Amino acid sequence: MGRQDSNDDDSRERLPSMQELEPSPVEDTPDLERDSYFPKEPTAPPSDRPSARSSTLGLSGGGGHGVAYYLMRIQKYSSYTASAFLVMHITNTSLIPLATRSVNASENYLLLTRPYYQSPFAEPLVVALPIVAHVVSGIALRIYRRHQIGKRYDKQLYTRAERRRFSDWPKVSATSVLGFTLWPLVTGHILVNRVLPLWAEGDSSGVGLGYVSHGFAKYPVVATTLYAALVGVGSWHFVKGWAKWMGWAPEQVGDGISVGSASQKRRRRWLTHVVSAFVASLWMAGGLGVVGRGGAAKGWIGRGWDDLYARIPLSQKLF
């Protein structure tokens, strides 16, 4: 017995010192390839791992940015340039006339700023390209979302009627409805004030606030109706769009279930309407209140503008 104890003591002296460890689960087993006991970082189960960044609807199917991401960025950043032009345009055609109370006096300011956005190089980049990019990216985004939603449903699991219901177009927001309504109004405005003079006379330098006042005087009902629609729809679209970019839109408040979020939604909705109405009123005050009441031009200038308006398709029936 004594000899066995002596052998045990000798074995302990020859073995290296060992560290006593607490029992651990299998997943925390030490990394034996390392010099000491440093367990690997715990790995979250697949269900808890954050999913890879995807497109707006989470339909990109992998890492990186999807098509929807870039379409939304195009739509967003193109609105920045278009908004800068709009502020300049409203200042020239509404705020300055409202301050001077005179169409003739306001023409000088319009001529000073016109080269910045009506030159052959600036106009396509500052006006045309942002507007076209904003509209096209919005339409392309809706088509892409519809296509991706339709791909999520297996043909073997759903009937044809169910797949058609799932593949319906995404819900159209109020901002999108306003945008689709605004597009033909803006197009008509550009055709009458920019394209028509360039096509008929080869130049639009003679077209200014007096030309617009002449149109209001000659065709008051049609001009006032179209202008009011352009200003009203445009104001609500721009204000609601910027509210969305800034994160202040009513639909961006939680889920709307709690009383607090519901009341916050109502406040944001009313605030959007108030700001939109203020912008529209200020815009119309100078546009309709001053430019719209400037009167018709006389002499050869007035006759030249009459010829321009007569070239508008269906002008004889509409006016």
Side-chain angles (χ1 to χ4, degrees):
M1 189 71 180
R3 181 178 299 179
Q4 184 178 357
D5 293 340
S6 176
N7 291 337
D8 291 342
D9 294 339
D10 294 340
S11 299
R12 292 192 193 98
E13 292 178 358
R14 288 194 297 267
L15 289 174
S17 61
M18 299 182 67
Q19 181 179 1
E20 184 176 357
L21 300 174
E22 295 292 335
S24 61
V26 176
E27 58 267 23
D28 291 336
T29 302
D31 188 354
L32 301 178
E33 296 181 358
R34 303 183 63 174
D35 296 335
S36 59
Y37 181 76
F38 291 102
K40 294 181 180 180
E41 292 295 328
T43 303
S47 60
D48 296 334
R49 294 178 185 174
S51 58
R53 193 163 191 161
S54 60
S55 58
T56 304
L57 291 178
L59 304 173
S60 63
H65 298 307
V67 176
Y69 173 86
Y70 294 105
L71 289 175
M72 287 194 66
R73 291 307 181 274
I74 292 174
Q75 189 180 39
K76 180 177 181 178
Y77 295 125
S78 61
S79 66
Y80 290 1
T81 306
S83 299
F85 163 74
L86 178 66
V87 171
M88 186 183 301
H89 190 62
I90 293 177
T91 301
N92 288 329
T93 60
S94 180
L95 300 184
I96 292 178
L98 186 62
T100 61
R101 310 297 299 178
S102 170
V103 174
N104 293 329
S106 302
E107 292 277 18
N108 297 326
Y109 297 96
L110 180 64
L111 293 175
L112 288 174
T113 57
R114 177 178 286 177
Y116 293 101
Y117 60 88
Q118 285 192 0
S119 66
F121 298 102
E123 189 170 22
L125 296 176
V126 177
V127 183
L129 183 60
I131 293 177
V132 172
H134 187 73
V135 175
V136 172
S137 62
I139 296 175
L141 184 60
R142 294 188 60 79
I143 295 175
Y144 176 77
R145 283 174 171 172
R146 182 181 187 273
H147 176 69
Q148 291 296 93
I149 291 174
K151 289 174 60 178
R152 297 182 64 182
Y153 301 97
D154 194 333
K155 295 181 179 179
Q156 298 179 357
L157 300 178
Y158 297 92
T159 64
R160 184 175 182 180
E162 289 174 334
R163 293 198 308 271
R164 290 182 61 184
R165 178 167 55 87
F166 291 143
S167 300
D168 286 343
W169 291 97
K171 182 180 178 182
V172 182
S173 64
T175 307
S176 298
V177 172
L178 291 170
F180 292 138
T181 307
L182 182 63
W183 175 242
L185 296 172
V186 172
T187 302
H189 179 75
I190 295 173
L191 289 175
V192 172
N193 293 279
R194 290 291 294 147
V195 177
L196 181 61
L198 288 172
W199 173 70
E201 299 181 350
D203 185 22
S204 62
S205 59
V207 173
L209 298 178
Y211 172 75
V212 179
S213 297
H214 187 81
F216 274 106
K218 290 292 184 178
Y219 318 104
V221 176
V222 175
T224 302
T225 302
L226 293 177
Y227 185 83
L230 173 66
V231 172
V233 175
S235 298
W236 258 263
H237 177 70
F238 297 137
V239 172
K240 289 178 72 67
W242 270 103
K244 180 180 179 180
W245 297 147
M246 301 297 292
W248 299 337
E251 60 271 14
Q252 293 173 311
V253 179
D255 53 10
I257 298 177
S258 62
V259 177
S261 60
S263 61
Q264 191 175 2
K265 274 189 175 184
R266 287 195 297 270
R267 287 196 300 270
R268 289 192 178 189
R269 189 175 293 109
W270 279 109
L271 181 61
T272 302
H273 292 323
V274 170
V275 175
S276 301
F278 174 77
V279 172
S281 301
L282 190 63
W283 193 348
M284 288 186 185
L288 289 178
V290 179
V291 178
R293 299 171 62 185
K298 299 180 180 179
W300 65 271
I301 296 179
R303 291 192 296 271
W305 288 343
D306 286 336
D307 293 338
L308 282 179
Y309 282 110
R311 293 175 181 267
I312 299 176
L314 302 177
S315 60
Q316 301 301 324
K317 295 182 179 181
L318 293 176
F319 302 151

